[in-house]
Amino acid sequence: MNVFLRFRKKLTGFNLVLIILLLSTISLGGFFQKTYPELPINQQNPDSSWGAVYSKRVSTRVITGQTVLSVAYEVTTVNANPGEGPFSDVSQTYLVDYNRDGRADIFSVTYGGRVIIKRNDGVINNDLRFTDTVSYTIWSLGNNNGSGDGTAVVDDFDNDGKPDLFLFNARQLAIYIPDATVPKSATANPPQMFWQFFNSDSRFRTNWTVSAMAAYDYDGDGYKDIIYADMSGRVWLWKNVPSRGNTRFFDPNGRVLLFSDPDVGTTATYGGAVLDLADVDDDGVPDLVVGHTDKRNIFLYPGKLVNQQLVFDPREKIALVRPDGNLGTLVSVDPTIPNSKDPKLLPSFAPTVIKVIDVDRDGIKDIFIATDAWRQGANFGGSIYLFKGRGRTIDGKTNFVSLELVRGNYSSRGVNPYDFDSGAVGDIDNDGIPDFVAADGNHSGNYYKIVMTTNSLYVTEGHPVQSNKLIKKNFKCPWFLLYSIYQVH
């Protein structure tokens, strides 16, 4: 009996400690409060801007002071539909929420050297609508030096919370525009745009229109640098030197060779390497996915940390698509899926856009690839493929299934699309799922959006239950309880 009395006293004391801890936490830390969505929307991970956390296929969101337990997203079909036109002369495309209204707007650079922003007006009459709102000339140096071909990247490089543009065109002209969503003047004094040629090495260029840059804080100084692949197959670190202000990308020693691989290069006059940087295998270290307009092959370069420095070894690259066009061991065709196809069957497979993102939010990265008609001698392009991540190998590598979203066309037939110049990933229809936008900028003048169709599915103890309902519960939560509430099982 005494044993039970002692146990009850200890339990009572333990409960008192918990109550005191709870009261002190509330008085000292207060309640967790946050406004969603967080603006601007994070286009690479749009669900994070809504406070969504995914655990075992269940999503929780905090909306107007309430916890909403909603169903997880299940992607059942993927369709490509023509979007709003005209989209003529476009060479570069990014998705940014420039006016902070929670919608992804289309930031474009044209071949003629202009910035054009299409404001996302949302769904009108069951269709997404965009309106041109910002337009200005980037530069005018004569002899077409101000053209917008080559490659570009849009990100916040000076940490002021506003999108900046860095463009490196085929004339080897680098242009940096801070706060690029605000109209600029080429004749402003003081200058609003900053430029410099880097033409001492003729192969240090992109002599086509491709996505060959990715923003990443390589040196850990809190400012994003640029990873760039030139046309010869060399991958560079292009340093962001914040002490230089608006000439932060023009440091004489600011370009450092990371590696060189002729398998993703060319000795031809024209062409360009294509890349994206992402943690493909989710091991916490970024990887590179690289291709080239002149070659069918696409390689995964696993990243690794050596003395806390990110490095890539081309000897360890993994072929997603081999040089002969065959799929690598990590990518397969699923005969049970009608549009699961092998790109080797296409007349050509010349990538101009590669984007990596977990499009279906299943925790495994997927890879979008869009192609061009002009670089492999077949005059065939406009294909869009999705290498959908599906499971892991025993050593942690991602397996993919090859899905053909758009087959493409011969340019001679005049049927669009047959030539994609640029592309971007973001949540353009504001449903929390990233979409892929590809622009046929200098032929049809259209862009094409990959619309993710979702099926609401709530899984309860292994038994799927279809539901359109949301379970809502008002709550207030001390900060130390957040983890247990967000980890819904």
Side-chain angles (χ1 to χ4, degrees):
M1 186 68 176
N2 291 335
V3 173
F4 288 107
L5 287 174
R6 286 197 300 269
F7 176 75
R8 189 168 66 179
K9 287 181 179 180
K10 287 183 178 180
L11 184 61
T12 302
F14 180 70
N15 287 336
L16 286 173
V17 171
L18 284 179
I19 292 172
I20 293 171
L21 177 61
L22 176 62
L23 292 175
S24 62
T25 303
I26 293 173
S27 61
L28 294 175
F31 288 101
F32 174 82
Q33 292 182 342
K34 207 162 189 179
T35 301
Y36 292 97
E38 293 181 322
L39 301 178
I41 297 293
N42 180 346
Q43 292 304 326
Q44 291 298 311
N45 295 284
D47 53 314
S48 67
S49 297
W50 286 96
V53 176
Y54 289 84
S55 178
K56 290 189 177 181
R57 311 176 74 80
V58 178
S59 168
T60 61
R61 293 186 178 185
V62 180
I63 302 176
T64 61
Q66 296 179 326
T67 295
V68 179
L69 175 62
S70 63
V71 297
Y73 291 117
E74 285 279 343
V75 175
T76 56
T77 60
V78 181
N79 302 305
N81 295 325
E84 191 77 14
F87 210 70
S88 61
D89 199 35
V90 167
S91 59
Q92 312 290 335
T93 297
Y94 273 82
L95 295 177
V96 296
D97 180 15
Y98 91 101
N99 57 354
R100 296 178 178 246
D101 65 352
R103 300 190 185 103
D105 309 296
I106 299 177
F107 183 107
S108 304
V109 178
T110 71
Y111 282 97
R114 296 184 63 82
V115 166
I116 297 176
I117 297 179
K118 289 180 176 288
R119 185 188 64 221
N120 187 342
D121 295 327
V123 177
I124 300 175
N125 295 327
N126 297 318
D127 194 18
L128 276 170
R129 295 289 177 178
F130 293 86
T131 302
D132 289 352
T133 54
V134 175
S135 178
Y136 62 88
T137 300
I138 295 177
W139 211 262
S140 180
L141 297 178
N143 298 322
N144 204 28
N145 283 324
S147 65
D149 55 7
T151 189
V153 61
V154 175
D155 213 305
D156 181 10
F157 292 112
D158 54 9
N159 288 354
D160 66 351
K162 302 172 184 177
D164 311 310
L165 169 67
F166 183 76
L167 168 70
F168 187 50
N169 72 13
R171 315 311 181 268
Q172 298 179 287
L173 175 66
I175 300 176
Y176 174 65
I177 305 178
D179 195 7
T181 60
V182 175
K184 308 294 182 187
S185 170
T187 59
N189 189 15
Q192 297 176 333
M193 296 176 278
F194 306 87
W195 62 274
Q196 183 170 318
F197 281 99
F198 291 90
N199 52 11
S200 60
D201 179 352
S202 63
R203 309 306 294 173
F204 185 76
R205 73 165 70 195
T206 296
N207 205 7
W208 208 249
T209 303
V210 298
S211 59
M213 288 182 168
Y216 174 69
D217 182 9
Y218 186 87
D219 53 14
D221 66 350
Y223 290 84
K224 290 183 180 179
D225 308 292
I226 294 171
I227 306 298
Y228 166 60
D230 69 24
M231 64 185 297
S232 67
R234 295 175 297 181
V235 176
W236 301 81
L237 164 65
W238 201 318
K239 290 183 179 180
N240 179 349
V241 184
S243 61
R244 294 180 60 95
N246 289 322
T247 62
R248 62 187 59 241
F249 289 110
F250 303 154
D251 187 283
N253 301 311
R255 283 144 305 285
V256 178
L257 181 65
L258 298 180
F259 69 88
S260 179
D261 187 354
D263 285 346
V264 289
T266 185
T267 58
T269 303
Y270 296 96
V274 187
L275 68 72
D276 199 12
L277 178 80
D279 185 5
V280 176
D281 50 11
D282 293 306
D283 63 353
V285 182
D287 311 297
L288 279 172
V289 180
V290 188
H292 198 283
T293 57
D294 292 16
K295 299 179 178 181
R296 284 179 174 262
N297 52 229
I298 296 175
F299 292 103
L300 168 65
Y301 297 82
K304 57 184 179 181
L305 294 178
V306 177
N307 297 324
Q308 300 303 310
Q309 186 68 67
L310 177 63
V311 298
F312 305 95
D313 187 343
R315 296 171 298 180
E316 299 176 359
K317 69 177 183 283
I318 302 169
L320 302 178
V321 182
R322 296 189 175 102
D324 61 4
N326 285 308
L327 293 174
T329 57
L330 294 180
V331 187
S332 62
V333 172
D334 186 340
T336 67
I337 302 175
N339 68 323
S340 180
K341 298 181 180 180
D342 190 334
K344 186 178 182 179
L345 302 177
L346 299 174
S348 66
F349 191 64
T352 50
V353 181
I354 295 175
K355 296 294 179 182
V356 182
I357 192 169
D358 180 8
V359 71
D360 52 2
R361 290 302 188 248
D362 63 352
I364 303 177
K365 296 294 193 305
D366 314 297
I367 303 173
F368 279 108
I369 303 162
T371 69
D372 177 68
W374 310 111
R375 294 305 308 155
Q376 295 181 8
N379 291 335
F380 180 93
S383 307
I384 299 179
Y385 268 66
L386 175 65
F387 288 174
K388 183 190 179 308
R390 190 167 69 172
R392 311 273 191 195
T393 64
I394 58 174
D395 57 351
K397 297 181 177 65
T398 301
N399 283 317
F400 300 92
V401 60
S402 175
L403 301 177
E404 183 181 90
L405 307 184
V406 179
R407 185 179 188 275
N409 294 284
Y410 286 98
S411 60
S412 58
R413 295 178 180 174
V415 178
N416 296 308
Y418 57 84
D419 175 26
F420 284 118
D421 302 283
S422 61
V425 172
D427 183 13
I428 60 173
D429 51 7
N430 215 30
D431 66 351
I433 300 177
D435 309 296
F436 180 65
V437 176
D440 178 13
N442 56 358
H443 293 102
S444 70
N446 287 329
Y447 70 83
Y448 296 81
K449 56 182 180 288
I450 304 301
V451 179
M452 308 307 296
T453 303
T454 63
N455 177 38
S456 297
L457 185 67
Y458 179 61
V459 180
T460 305
E461 296 181 353
H463 302 287
V465 179
Q466 296 290 340
S467 175
N468 293 321
K469 296 181 179 179
L470 297 179
I471 303 171
K472 298 183 179 181
K473 182 179 180 181
N474 294 318
F475 83 111
K476 285 189 176 181
C477 171
W479 63 267
F480 76 91
L481 293 178
L482 278 177
Y483 179 80
S484 61
I485 288 179
Y486 269 57
Q487 294 297 316
V488 179
H489 296 285

